[in-house]
Each structure stands twice: as structure tokens, then as C-alpha cells.
Amino acid sequence: EVGGDEACTNGQVVRIPDVGDDPLAKSLAWGYLSHEAAHVRFTDFQASQATFAKGGLVRSVLNILEDVRIEKAIIGTYPGTRSTLDEVLRWLLDQGTISAPKEGDSPPGVLGNALLVMARHRYRRQVFLKKVALEAERVLRKTFPPSFVHRLLGLLTEVPGLASTQETADLAERIVALIQDEAKESPPPSEKPAAPDEAEGDGEGADQPEE
């Protein structure tokens, strides 16, 4: 099916967006189709839906990592798909749909955008993302403690060895667990000390389709 403004599949039907009269329409259509066909061929939808049901953050991380895995797989089978898959990412970059996070963005927003461009640059070998991936890593390091970033990048080195959707889902859950651990370890914001008369009081009042 063709229509709307996003590409998705449920494993039975593929939908790609209507790219209209864009000069790159043919390449974009083939790129979107190659990506969704890769999901049909290589994604275990039962495994992905089970992970999606656990929440939005793990779903987002799984989508990012699974997209890298299945694109690498389809390129291995059909090397010619690399050019049109890359064309879609270049186009999304030019359109501003994909970008590096900015300092001051919410931590989940920084993490999601950084994972997207860094994983694609490092492990999908999309070299045209180098500049935006470097900026994403810089903002990631500004937003999170060094120990967290070190452990996160260590987990990401497992991406090239992912062989199934279940393995990808397991890695996504480990990344989310790392985030949750970081949230617990981070000290709470310092509170303004109570005035002497206040301190002496009695204490009262104290799914989805794959994309």
C-alpha cells in the first residue's frame, strides 16, 4: 500500500509513504520498500510485540537497534539495497526529520536521538552521518555521567553480533535497565535549607506496527 507519511508493516502488509513529485521519489520508494521488506523477512513480530508491551522507552530502543540489524541483513542478501536505504536516511536528514540532539533536550530525547544516529553511523556504516553522530555523542556526554556513557557504549558494541529480534529485544531491555539504574543512582536535586523556625516544627506536612 502507498499513502500517508510513514512507512510500516505488520508482517503481512507493507505501507510506504506517498513521496509525490519529489525528484528522489523512485529511490525513496525503493528504499522504504527495502526497509519494510527487511522487517517482513527478518523480524520476529511475536518477539517484538512482546517487548513493545513493556513500555515506550524499550520500544523506542528496540526499534532503533532492530532497524540497524534488519538493514544489515537485507544488504547482505541484496547488496544493491544499500544505496536506496541510504538515500532515505540522507533525505530524512535533509528534511530535518533526523538530527543530533541539542543541549537542554530532555534526557530521554537526547538518548533516543543519539542512539539513532550513533548506531547507524557506527554499525550500519552510514558514513554521511559522521558529523551528526559526533555531535550526538558530545551532547550525550554533556547530558549523562561518564560512567553511564561508558557502559552504554559498551552495550552498543554488541549490535554487530545481533542475530535475531529476540537478541535485539534483550539488548534493548539491558539498555533500558542501565537507564533505570542511572536514574536511581543520580542524587536528588539539592533542596533549599529550611529556616530555623521551620526546622523546629513538629514535622507535619513533611503498538504496533514496525517502523
Side-chain angles (χ1 to χ4, degrees), residues 4 12 36 42 58 62 83 96 100 119 127 130 137 142 148 181 186 189 199:
Q12 301 295 322
E36 299 309 325
F42 298 109
V58 71
L62 173 55
S83 62
V127 295
K130 180 178 181 179
E137 184 172 348
K142 279 274 191 179
F148 170 81
D181 288 345
S186 297

Side-chain angles (χ1 to χ4, degrees), residues 25-91:
K26 184 176 180 180
S27 292
L28 294 175
W30 277 113
Y32 278 121
L33 182 58
S34 298
H35 180 89
E36 299 309 325
H39 275 304
V40 173
R41 184 163 185 157
F42 298 109
T43 290
D44 178 342
F45 286 85
Q46 185 174 356
S48 65
Q49 292 299 326
T51 301
F52 284 175
K54 297 179 181 180
L57 184 55
V58 71
R59 171 179 178 153
S60 177
V61 175
L62 173 55
N63 265 336
I64 290 167
L65 301 183
E66 181 73 349
D67 281 354
V68 170
R69 187 186 74 83
I70 58 99
E71 285 194 6
K72 284 169 60 69
I74 200 72
I75 289 168
T77 305
Y78 299 106
T81 59
R82 180 188 296 275
S83 62
T84 53
L85 287 167
D86 286 354
E87 196 67 68
V88 171
L89 258 291
R90 284 194 187 91
W91 184 75

Side-chain angles (χ1 to χ4, degrees), residues 180-203:
Q180 293 169 339
D181 288 345
E182 173 59 30
K184 292 176 184 175
E185 293 172 8
S186 297
S190 58
E191 296 180 0
K192 181 180 177 181
D197 57 339
E198 294 173 340
E200 294 170 1
D202 61 9

